[in-house]
Amino acid sequence: MPARSAHAFTPIAADPGLSPIGTLPGVGPALAATLAKLGLERVQDLWFHLPLRYEDKTRVTAIAELRAGERAQVLGTVEAVERGFRYRPQLKVAIGDDSRQTLLLRFFHFHRAQAEQLRPGLRVLCYGEVRHGAQGLEMVHPQYQRVAEGEAVAVDERLSPVYPTTEGLGQKRLAGVIGKALAVLPPDAALELIPPSLCAAHGLTSLREALLYVHRPPPDAPLAELVNGRHPAQQRLAFEELLTQHLSLKRMRAAVRRRRAAVLDGAGELRRRFVQGLPFELTGAQQRVTRDVFADLAQAKPMLRLVQGDVGSGKTAVAALAALAAVEAGWQVALMAPTELLAEQHLRSFRHWLEPLGVAVEWLAGKQQGKARTSALARVAGGTPVVVGTHALMQEGVVFGRLGLVIVDEQHRFGVQQRLALRDKGLEGGLVPHQLVLTATPIPRTLAMSSYADLDVSSIDELPPGRTPVQTVAVSNARRAEVIERIRAACTEGRQAYWVCTLIEESEQLRAQAAEVAHAELSAALGGCGVGLIHGRMKPKEKQAVMDAFKGGGLAVLVATTVIEVGVDVPNASLMVIENSERLGLAQLHQLRGRVGRGAVASNCVLLYQPPLGQLARERLNVMRETCDGFRIAEKDLELRGPGEVLGTRQTGQLAFRIADLARDAYLLPAVQQVGQAMLKEQPRAAERLIERWIGAAARYVHA
Ligand code: ADP
Ligand code: MG
């Protein structure tokens, strides 16, 4: 941490937020150690440890009025108890109430005492999430307490916050410590880090009140607003969190900009030969973006550029040109992709394009073992010009000889931290590598201002000529046989098709199984057409063989899991069927559909769904039917996703927020940006303290 003493006029020593948590009454070393596991070390860390959600135990809901998906409190009498051992121990407790309906409570972990206590006739007050089960509505592992005969039921007065926590630290205890920390929350004048003039200009209300409100909502708090994160107190904090993120990305960017990078401005001979050898002309957009990249590479400061272009816009050729610019200047290039399948595709494209120019391309993947790995590592350390791989490139033990440029494809799968890790790989005589990030996920402008504030952005806003938009229809699974018949017809015309199996929550193993089942079904139904199968549990060699067969036309149909989501490029494939399409988000559907429509033939996409369709799913499928424009789809996605997205379900690799939700709070971003700019200029110290406060340990790590 920087020395504070230089700022003699700021009474920082008195800032209670900076005191260690152990200084709070009743917090001993053991509790402090547990809290440290959550990254909670100083008093202010507790102030900003915000509730994930709230539980409403202020009322009791009749079983007849329960709806799946809700959390509710129910008062019932145990009617029947069953202990089962079919797959694993299970305790099923049926309770009933005055509404004459039954609710099933299901426990997979329980003590014997618990099982014995829950006897018919016992009254219980339970709270949990209601869902559809095989025998009607149920709650899995509800919280519950016994209510003695004749005892009045005590409901809570206010909503109870639920905090992110860790093993061995219950909600009550955590809330207790947070309460102690809140007791020393200073008045606004000392707490507020955003200058008063900026607060006034943007209508930011009291930070102190906002914190107290979200930690302890008053009894009359509007539940719906709080649940959706739209209460003014939550929005006040969301603003500050977005601001902090913005400031920290800006700071990271400034730190990178202060470093120096190799000047990559070779003669251009390799690039010329590459372009001449291509079977197509670069589009105007590809040329423009390539010029942006070359201009960056010719500078002695590191490039940080995001190239966004819809699926099929030709980002790989741009990446190859950037790579050649580095190679020509005598530097090494690392190309990193998020999945092995995509990395393998890049490997083949790059070998196909670059080896005829005398440029060697090395492969480095996580699964590589033994001698192959040792010799690959040796060549990478020795300075092989181009290295292609997965995140294995970032692992310890991978040493680059002369890394000058890092290309990251499909960036949304990687986090900022991961990008930084790879950057640090390249440190060569104090020089850091240039960074080029490719993404097919169009980023609405508002988001580009926040999540990607550390990057310059170029857009490939034009598709190669001759592409025909994909015709999309949504079809109920009840008409599955017709769809299969249609595939047969298409195959006899020499067309090729993808059949994508989607299972979301399950493991890779279950996904593979589902694909195997579909593969068997289609093989039986489409006798005569070659049907292949590809999924994430196959060995790289097997996957490659299947992809080769499909690419070469030996297979007419490829049954696949969503492993084909990114990057797969087989121009002759012109039909795609996506199973359970109602379960996928817009971004993923768009990615998948981008696998067809790559050649000149008209392409079709069939979105198979399992009725009945929910409102949101229906809207998503409608958007897909109406447009193929990635930008429109991304904007729509942002609109539809709304508040449902809770912290726990965010995609990995994306920044996790405590309270902000980029989709819900995007409207705050323009103001966030203004305040951020002003603070960096006028109050850089306050900006630092804000980052310290919200990002804390993570920020210290980034700085290290
Ligand atoms: P993405 O941007 O999705 O990564 P790719 O780089 O995989 O797209 O390119 C999609 C397909 O378009 C590939 O088959 C590629 O060879 C082809 N392609 C790229 N640029 C052009 C172009 N200017 N004209 C015609 N085809 C192109
Ligand atoms: Mg690509």
Side-chain angles (χ1 to χ4, degrees):
M1 236 183 280
R4 310 263 182 202
S5 55
H7 302 268
F9 296 109
T10 341
I12 285 173
D15 181 348
L18 296 177
S19 311
I21 281 179
T23 59
L24 291 173
V27 180
L31 181 53
T34 308
L35 291 167
K37 278 198 251 162
L38 289 167
L40 305 175
E41 291 168 358
R42 294 163 308 175
V43 170
Q44 69 178 16
D45 297 339
L46 289 170
W47 298 340
F48 289 89
H49 193 63
L50 303 177
L52 271 178
R53 56 185 169 84
Y54 296 91
E55 288 182 346
D56 180 9
K57 297 189 207 162
T58 62
R59 59 202 162 101
V60 169
T61 307
I63 295 178
E65 270 149 39
L66 293 177
R67 276 184 308 182
E70 284 179 343
R71 289 167 193 274
Q73 181 164 257
V74 172
L75 176 67
T77 304
V78 175
E79 293 174 341
V81 180
E82 185 188 316
R83 281 181 77 164
F85 292 93
R86 216 145 84 81
Y87 299 106
R88 45 181 175 160
Q90 206 186 124
L91 179 62
K92 296 197 280 187
V93 179
I95 62 169
D97 68 1
D98 296 342
S99 69
R100 299 170 148 259
Q101 296 279 333
T102 302
L103 174 71
L104 189 68
L105 313 180
R106 205 191 272 277
F107 300 87
F108 296 108
H109 311 280
F110 52 94
H111 302 296
R112 189 196 303 184
Q114 199 176 356
E116 283 166 5
Q117 178 195 60
L118 288 164
R119 289 172 183 253
L122 183 79
R123 283 214 301 164
V124 286
L125 182 65
C126 50
Y127 179 88
E129 185 176 334
V130 183
R131 50 174 233 184
H132 283 298
Q135 289 131 320
L137 293 182
E138 63 179 35
M139 283 184 184
V140 176
H141 280 265
Q143 307 166 15
Y144 72 93
Q145 62 190 68
R146 291 192 295 172
V147 180
E149 200 59 49
E151 184 189 329
V153 176
V155 295
D156 287 356
E157 281 215 331
R158 49 179 83 218
L159 299 177
S160 9
V162 179
Y163 294 101
T165 187
T166 181
E167 192 76 21
L169 181 62
Q171 289 293 335
K172 272 221 172 79
R173 191 128 175 263
L174 181 53
V177 194
I178 291 174
K180 285 175 189 159
L182 290 174
V184 296
L185 198 62
D188 262 313
L191 185 67
E192 187 57 78
L193 293 174
I194 304 174
S197 58
L198 289 173
C199 282
H202 293 276
L204 299 179
T205 50
S206 158
L207 173 62
R208 183 186 151 82
E209 275 166 31
L211 282 173
L212 290 173
Y213 197 100
V214 301
H215 283 294
R216 299 188 199 134
D220 61 349
L223 176 67
E225 255 186 19
L226 270 179
V227 166
N228 293 332
R230 292 180 197 271
H231 187 277
Q234 291 165 307
Q235 291 286 291
R236 169 67 179 80
L237 294 170
F239 183 95
E240 192 158 318
E241 184 170 36
L242 289 171
L243 173 64
T244 306
Q245 188 213 14
H246 181 81
L247 291 171
S248 108
L249 288 172
K250 284 278 185 218
R251 182 182 69 169
M252 228 154 61
R253 178 192 163 95
V256 175
R257 295 280 152 151
R258 280 194 296 275
R259 313 283 277 277
R260 298 183 59 76
V263 174
L264 307 180
D265 63 348
E269 183 55 28
L270 280 177
R271 282 174 273 175
R272 256 193 303 282
R273 279 168 53 203
F274 169 73
V275 172
Q276 274 164 13
L278 282 176
F280 48 75
E281 297 256 312
L282 293 178
T283 62
Q286 281 170 316
Q287 291 178 25
R288 179 172 42 74
V289 168
T290 309
R291 277 197 299 273
D292 290 348
V293 172
F294 291 161
D296 287 348
L297 292 176
Q299 307 276 320
K301 58 179 194 217
M303 166 172 80
L304 281 176
R305 186 167 293 278
L306 176 76
V307 168
Q308 61 178 44
D310 210 344
V311 284
S313 61
K315 292 181 292 295
T316 321
V318 171
L321 276 163
L324 287 174
V327 172
E328 268 175 351
W331 288 78
Q332 206 175 9
V333 181
L335 170 61
M336 184 165 74
T339 68
E340 199 150 292
L341 191 66
L342 180 53
E344 284 157 15
Q345 278 230 319
H346 281 325
L347 179 71
R348 274 186 290 162
S349 305
F350 270 54
R351 284 200 166 143
H352 175 74
W353 281 336
L354 305 193
E355 287 186 345
L357 304 175
V359 176
V361 181
E362 187 59 52
W363 170 244
L364 202 58
K367 291 192 187 130
Q368 242 164 351
Q369 296 283 326
K371 244 169 126 183
R373 182 168 179 82
T374 320
S375 57
L377 283 175
R379 285 192 295 272
V380 172
T384 284
V386 178
V387 187
V388 177
T390 55
H391 58 279
L393 293 181
M394 293 183 296
Q395 279 164 6
E396 260 172 69
V398 179
V399 179
F400 289 88
R402 230 172 112 72
L403 187 59
L405 168 66
V406 172
I407 304 174
V408 183
D409 196 8
E410 306 296 348
Q411 121 89 11
H412 64 296
R413 298 282 186 99
F414 292 107
V416 173
Q417 307 282 356
Q418 286 167 299
R419 284 207 319 262
L420 289 174
L422 191 57
R423 184 198 73 203
D424 290 342
K425 283 274 177 208
L427 286 176
E428 163 84 23
L431 300 180
V432 299
H434 296 276
Q435 253 190 62
L436 179 64
V437 176
L438 309 176
T439 179
T441 306
I443 299 149
R445 212 175 48 83
T446 43
L447 292 197
M449 288 179 354
S450 71
S451 290
Y452 301 91
D454 66 323
L455 300 168
D456 294 311
V457 179
S458 300
S459 296
I460 309 184
D461 50 10
E462 176 187 358
L463 290 178
R467 300 270 169 93
T468 39
V470 182
Q471 290 289 335
T472 302
V473 292
V475 175
S476 158
N477 199 40
R479 290 168 53 201
R480 191 181 176 93
E482 278 170 54
V483 173
I484 294 176
E485 202 36 53
R486 193 164 150 188
I487 293 182
R488 172 201 295 287
C491 293
T492 52
E493 286 166 21
R495 290 172 65 183
Q496 287 180 285
Y498 293 103
W499 182 286
V500 187
C501 301
T502 61
L503 269 187
I504 296 189
E505 52 229 322
E506 283 74 337
S507 64
E508 189 69 47
Q509 185 182 356
L510 289 174
R511 278 196 286 271
Q513 275 173 16
E516 275 158 12
V517 171
H519 177 247
E521 178 193 358
L522 289 173
S523 302
L526 298 174
C529 310
V531 182
L533 171 65
I534 192 161
H535 59 67
R537 303 247 302 172
M538 287 161 58
K539 295 204 175 72
K541 273 228 167 68
E542 297 168 351
K543 277 190 280 186
Q544 176 136 341
V546 174
M547 282 312 290
D548 283 343
F550 189 59
K551 223 170 179 158
L555 292 171
V557 180
L558 184 62
V559 177
T561 54
T562 48
V563 294
I564 65 151
E565 176 188 344
V566 283
V568 169
D569 182 36
V570 180
N572 190 50
S574 63
L575 178 58
M576 168 168 286
V577 180
I578 304 177
E579 278 203 79
N580 299 313
S581 57
E582 78 280 3
R583 299 196 201 172
L584 299 186
L586 277 175
Q588 209 179 3
L589 286 171
H590 180 63
Q591 281 287 332
L592 282 169
R593 184 174 58 181
R595 300 309 115 214
V596 292
R598 307 197 140 217
V601 277
S603 293
N604 302 82
C605 176
V606 178
L607 303 171
L608 265 187
Y609 65 83
Q610 195 66 51
L613 276 183
Q615 171 66 16
L616 269 183
R618 182 181 307 274
E619 280 189 59
R620 282 198 299 266
L621 298 188
N622 279 342
V623 173
M624 290 301 292
R625 282 180 14 209
E626 281 157 18
T627 183
C628 288
D629 178 340
F631 279 85
R632 275 206 48 207
I633 290 175
E635 304 262 357
K636 206 67 199 167
D637 191 26
L638 199 59
E639 205 180 295
L640 290 182
R641 259 187 309 144
E645 218 85 331
V646 283
L647 240 150
T649 64
R650 277 176 213 287
Q651 283 179 359
T652 47
Q654 277 188 351
L655 294 169
F657 290 103
R658 295 169 193 210
I659 195 161
D661 179 311
L662 276 178
R664 181 190 63 213
D665 305 331
Y667 79 99
L668 292 171
L669 291 171
V672 161
Q673 210 187 21
Q674 283 173 24
V675 173
Q677 252 164 20
M679 273 184 81
L680 282 176
K681 209 152 75 211
E682 293 149 28
Q683 299 271 355
R685 276 263 324 134
E688 285 294 320
R689 288 181 62 199
L690 203 57
I691 294 171
E692 222 5 74
R693 178 185 274 180
W694 277 89
I695 305 185
R700 290 194 287 276
Y701 162 77
V702 169
H703 246 29

mmCIF file with all atom_site columns, all heavy atoms in Angstrom, residues 71-83:
data_model
loop_
_atom_site.group_PDB
_atom_site.id
_atom_site.type_symbol
_atom_site.label_atom_id
_atom_site.label_alt_id
_atom_site.label_comp_id
_atom_site.label_asym_id
_atom_site.label_entity_id
_atom_site.label_seq_id
_atom_site.pdbx_PDB_ins_code
_atom_site.Cartn_x
_atom_site.Cartn_y
_atom_site.Cartn_z
_atom_site.occupancy
_atom_site.B_iso_or_equiv
_atom_site.pdbx_formal_charge
_atom_site.auth_seq_id
_atom_site.auth_comp_id
_atom_site.auth_asym_id
_atom_site.auth_atom_id
_atom_site.pdbx_PDB_model_num
ATOM 1  N N   . ARG A 1 71 ? -39.393 -17.873 -3.818 1.00 0.00 ? 71 ARG A N   1
ATOM 2  C CA  . ARG A 1 71 ? -39.008 -18.287 -2.475 1.00 0.00 ? 71 ARG A CA  1
ATOM 3  C C   . ARG A 1 71 ? -40.131 -17.879 -1.555 1.00 0.00 ? 71 ARG A C   1
ATOM 4  O O   . ARG A 1 71 ? -40.675 -16.788 -1.700 1.00 0.00 ? 71 ARG A O   1
ATOM 5  C CB  . ARG A 1 71 ? -37.730 -17.579 -2.035 1.00 0.00 ? 71 ARG A CB  1
ATOM 6  C CG  . ARG A 1 71 ? -36.526 -18.082 -2.776 1.00 0.00 ? 71 ARG A CG  1
ATOM 7  C CD  . ARG A 1 71 ? -35.345 -17.166 -2.558 1.00 0.00 ? 71 ARG A CD  1
ATOM 8  N NE  . ARG A 1 71 ? -34.304 -17.504 -3.517 1.00 0.00 ? 71 ARG A NE  1
ATOM 9  C CZ  . ARG A 1 71 ? -33.406 -18.448 -3.305 1.00 0.00 ? 71 ARG A CZ  1
ATOM 10 N NH1 . ARG A 1 71 ? -33.399 -19.124 -2.176 1.00 0.00 ? 71 ARG A NH1 1
ATOM 11 N NH2 . ARG A 1 71 ? -32.499 -18.710 -4.217 1.00 0.00 ? 71 ARG A NH2 1
ATOM 12 N N   . ALA A 1 72 ? -40.476 -18.734 -0.643 1.00 0.00 ? 72 ALA A N   1
ATOM 13 C CA  . ALA A 1 72 ? -41.614 -18.408 0.201  1.00 0.00 ? 72 ALA A CA  1
ATOM 14 C C   . ALA A 1 72 ? -41.499 -19.078 1.562  1.00 0.00 ? 72 ALA A C   1
ATOM 15 O O   . ALA A 1 72 ? -40.723 -20.019 1.753  1.00 0.00 ? 72 ALA A O   1
ATOM 16 C CB  . ALA A 1 72 ? -42.904 -18.865 -0.480 1.00 0.00 ? 72 ALA A CB  1
ATOM 17 N N   . GLN A 1 73 ? -42.292 -18.550 2.484  1.00 0.00 ? 73 GLN A N   1
ATOM 18 C CA  . GLN A 1 73 ? -42.364 -19.121 3.820  1.00 0.00 ? 73 GLN A CA  1
ATOM 19 C C   . GLN A 1 73 ? -43.725 -19.800 3.969  1.00 0.00 ? 73 GLN A C   1
ATOM 20 O O   . GLN A 1 73 ? -44.751 -19.225 3.620  1.00 0.00 ? 73 GLN A O   1
ATOM 21 C CB  . GLN A 1 73 ? -42.199 -18.023 4.859  1.00 0.00 ? 73 GLN A CB  1
ATOM 22 C CG  . GLN A 1 73 ? -42.231 -18.522 6.278  1.00 0.00 ? 73 GLN A CG  1
ATOM 23 C CD  . GLN A 1 73 ? -41.673 -17.482 7.237  1.00 0.00 ? 73 GLN A CD  1
ATOM 24 O OE1 . GLN A 1 73 ? -40.561 -17.579 7.708  1.00 0.00 ? 73 GLN A OE1 1
ATOM 25 N NE2 . GLN A 1 73 ? -42.469 -16.472 7.515  1.00 0.00 ? 73 GLN A NE2 1
ATOM 26 N N   . VAL A 1 74 ? -43.707 -21.012 4.482  1.00 0.00 ? 74 VAL A N   1
ATOM 27 C CA  . VAL A 1 74 ? -44.931 -21.799 4.571  1.00 0.00 ? 74 VAL A CA  1
ATOM 28 C C   . VAL A 1 74 ? -45.057 -22.360 5.979  1.00 0.00 ? 74 VAL A C   1
ATOM 29 O O   . VAL A 1 74 ? -44.055 -22.765 6.583  1.00 0.00 ? 74 VAL A O   1
ATOM 30 C CB  . VAL A 1 74 ? -44.879 -22.972 3.554  1.00 0.00 ? 74 VAL A CB  1
ATOM 31 C CG1 . VAL A 1 74 ? -46.042 -23.918 3.770  1.00 0.00 ? 74 VAL A CG1 1
ATOM 32 C CG2 . VAL A 1 74 ? -44.866 -22.445 2.132  1.00 0.00 ? 74 VAL A CG2 1
ATOM 33 N N   . LEU A 1 75 ? -46.270 -22.365 6.507  1.00 0.00 ? 75 LEU A N   1
ATOM 34 C CA  . LEU A 1 75 ? -46.515 -22.990 7.801  1.00 0.00 ? 75 LEU A CA  1
ATOM 35 C C   . LEU A 1 75 ? -47.383 -24.212 7.550  1.00 0.00 ? 75 LEU A C   1
ATOM 36 O O   . LEU A 1 75 ? -48.486 -24.097 7.013  1.00 0.00 ? 75 LEU A O   1
ATOM 37 C CB  . LEU A 1 75 ? -47.253 -22.011 8.719  1.00 0.00 ? 75 LEU A CB  1
ATOM 38 C CG  . LEU A 1 75 ? -47.652 -22.580 10.080 1.00 0.00 ? 75 LEU A CG  1
ATOM 39 C CD1 . LEU A 1 75 ? -46.435 -22.881 10.935 1.00 0.00 ? 75 LEU A CD1 1
ATOM 40 C CD2 . LEU A 1 75 ? -48.573 -21.604 10.804 1.00 0.00 ? 75 LEU A CD2 1
ATOM 41 N N   . GLY A 1 76 ? -46.877 -25.390 7.918  1.00 0.00 ? 76 GLY A N   1
ATOM 42 C CA  . GLY A 1 76 ? -47.653 -26.593 7.624  1.00 0.00 ? 76 GLY A CA  1
ATOM 43 C C   . GLY A 1 76 ? -47.488 -27.647 8.692  1.00 0.00 ? 76 GLY A C   1
ATOM 44 O O   . GLY A 1 76 ? -46.657 -27.528 9.598  1.00 0.00 ? 76 GLY A O   1
ATOM 45 N N   . THR A 1 77 ? -48.289 -28.673 8.572  1.00 0.00 ? 77 THR A N   1
ATOM 46 C CA  . THR A 1 77 ? -48.221 -29.795 9.498  1.00 0.00 ? 77 THR A CA  1
ATOM 47 C C   . THR A 1 77 ? -47.749 -31.022 8.726  1.00 0.00 ? 77 THR A C   1
ATOM 48 O O   . THR A 1 77 ? -48.237 -31.273 7.614  1.00 0.00 ? 77 THR A O   1
ATOM 49 C CB  . THR A 1 77 ? -49.621 -30.067 10.081 1.00 0.00 ? 77 THR A CB  1
ATOM 50 O OG1 . THR A 1 77 ? -50.073 -28.853 10.688 1.00 0.00 ? 77 THR A OG1 1
ATOM 51 C CG2 . THR A 1 77 ? -49.558 -31.170 11.133 1.00 0.00 ? 77 THR A CG2 1
ATOM 52 N N   . VAL A 1 78 ? -46.814 -31.736 9.315  1.00 0.00 ? 78 VAL A N   1
ATOM 53 C CA  . VAL A 1 78 ? -46.266 -32.903 8.631  1.00 0.00 ? 78 VAL A CA  1
ATOM 54 C C   . VAL A 1 78 ? -47.359 -33.966 8.489  1.00 0.00 ? 78 VAL A C   1
ATOM 55 O O   . VAL A 1 78 ? -48.025 -34.315 9.457  1.00 0.00 ? 78 VAL A O   1
ATOM 56 C CB  . VAL A 1 78 ? -45.057 -33.478 9.404  1.00 0.00 ? 78 VAL A CB  1
ATOM 57 C CG1 . VAL A 1 78 ? -44.572 -34.771 8.745  1.00 0.00 ? 78 VAL A CG1 1
ATOM 58 C CG2 . VAL A 1 78 ? -43.943 -32.449 9.472  1.00 0.00 ? 78 VAL A CG2 1
ATOM 59 N N   . GLU A 1 79 ? -47.543 -34.433 7.257  1.00 0.00 ? 79 GLU A N   1
ATOM 60 C CA  . GLU A 1 79 ? -48.569 -35.449 6.995  1.00 0.00 ? 79 GLU A CA  1
ATOM 61 C C   . GLU A 1 79 ? -47.968 -36.827 6.799  1.00 0.00 ? 79 GLU A C   1
ATOM 62 O O   . GLU A 1 79 ? -48.544 -37.828 7.199  1.00 0.00 ? 79 GLU A O   1
ATOM 63 C CB  . GLU A 1 79 ? -49.362 -35.076 5.735  1.00 0.00 ? 79 GLU A CB  1
ATOM 64 C CG  . GLU A 1 79 ? -50.196 -33.819 5.939  1.00 0.00 ? 79 GLU A CG  1
ATOM 65 C CD  . GLU A 1 79 ? -50.877 -33.347 4.665  1.00 0.00 ? 79 GLU A CD  1
ATOM 66 O OE1 . GLU A 1 79 ? -50.431 -33.761 3.562  1.00 0.00 ? 79 GLU A OE1 1
ATOM 67 O OE2 . GLU A 1 79 ? -51.832 -32.576 4.771  1.00 0.00 ? 79 GLU A OE2 1
ATOM 68 N N   . ALA A 1 80 ? -46.834 -36.860 6.141  1.00 0.00 ? 80 ALA A N   1
ATOM 69 C CA  . ALA A 1 80 ? -46.211 -38.157 5.885  1.00 0.00 ? 80 ALA A CA  1
ATOM 70 C C   . ALA A 1 80 ? -44.711 -37.973 5.740  1.00 0.00 ? 80 ALA A C   1
ATOM 71 O O   . ALA A 1 80 ? -44.247 -36.911 5.315  1.00 0.00 ? 80 ALA A O   1
ATOM 72 C CB  . ALA A 1 80 ? -46.780 -38.760 4.600  1.00 0.00 ? 80 ALA A CB  1
ATOM 73 N N   . VAL A 1 81 ? -43.958 -38.999 6.117  1.00 0.00 ? 81 VAL A N   1
ATOM 74 C CA  . VAL A 1 81 ? -42.504 -38.940 6.019  1.00 0.00 ? 81 VAL A CA  1
ATOM 75 C C   . VAL A 1 81 ? -42.030 -40.220 5.348  1.00 0.00 ? 81 VAL A C   1
ATOM 76 O O   . VAL A 1 81 ? -42.529 -41.300 5.645  1.00 0.00 ? 81 VAL A O   1
ATOM 77 C CB  . VAL A 1 81 ? -41.861 -38.841 7.423  1.00 0.00 ? 81 VAL A CB  1
ATOM 78 C CG1 . VAL A 1 81 ? -40.339 -38.787 7.300  1.00 0.00 ? 81 VAL A CG1 1
ATOM 79 C CG2 . VAL A 1 81 ? -42.388 -37.625 8.156  1.00 0.00 ? 81 VAL A CG2 1
ATOM 80 N N   . GLU A 1 82 ? -41.087 -40.080 4.448  1.00 0.00 ? 82 GLU A N   1
ATOM 81 C CA  . GLU A 1 82 ? -40.582 -41.264 3.782  1.00 0.00 ? 82 GLU A CA  1
ATOM 82 C C   . GLU A 1 82 ? -39.070 -41.153 3.658  1.00 0.00 ? 82 GLU A C   1
ATOM 83 O O   . GLU A 1 82 ? -38.545 -40.120 3.248  1.00 0.00 ? 82 GLU A O   1
ATOM 84 C CB  . GLU A 1 82 ? -41.209 -41.349 2.385  1.00 0.00 ? 82 GLU A CB  1
ATOM 85 C CG  . GLU A 1 82 ? -40.861 -42.613 1.637  1.00 0.00 ? 82 GLU A CG  1
ATOM 86 C CD  . GLU A 1 82 ? -41.364 -42.539 0.193  1.00 0.00 ? 82 GLU A CD  1
ATOM 87 O OE1 . GLU A 1 82 ? -42.514 -42.090 -0.020 1.00 0.00 ? 82 GLU A OE1 1
ATOM 88 O OE2 . GLU A 1 82 ? -40.596 -42.908 -0.707 1.00 0.00 ? 82 GLU A OE2 1
ATOM 89 N N   . ARG A 1 83 ? -38.391 -42.213 4.065  1.00 0.00 ? 83 ARG A N   1
ATOM 90 C CA  . ARG A 1 83 ? -36.934 -42.225 3.878  1.00 0.00 ? 83 ARG A CA  1
ATOM 91 C C   . ARG A 1 83 ? -36.626 -43.159 2.741  1.00 0.00 ? 83 ARG A C   1
ATOM 92 O O   . ARG A 1 83 ? -37.052 -44.298 2.737  1.00 0.00 ? 83 ARG A O   1
ATOM 93 C CB  . ARG A 1 83 ? -36.237 -42.707 5.143  1.00 0.00 ? 83 ARG A CB  1
ATOM 94 C CG  . ARG A 1 83 ? -36.146 -41.615 6.175  1.00 0.00 ? 83 ARG A CG  1
ATOM 95 C CD  . ARG A 1 83 ? -35.442 -42.118 7.392  1.00 0.00 ? 83 ARG A CD  1
ATOM 96 N NE  . ARG A 1 83 ? -34.005 -42.181 7.181  1.00 0.00 ? 83 ARG A NE  1
ATOM 97 C CZ  . ARG A 1 83 ? -33.148 -42.299 8.192  1.00 0.00 ? 83 ARG A CZ  1
ATOM 98 N NH1 . ARG A 1 83 ? -33.579 -42.382 9.428  1.00 0.00 ? 83 ARG A NH1 1
ATOM 99 N NH2 . ARG A 1 83 ? -31.857 -42.335 7.962  1.00 0.00 ? 83 ARG A NH2 1
#
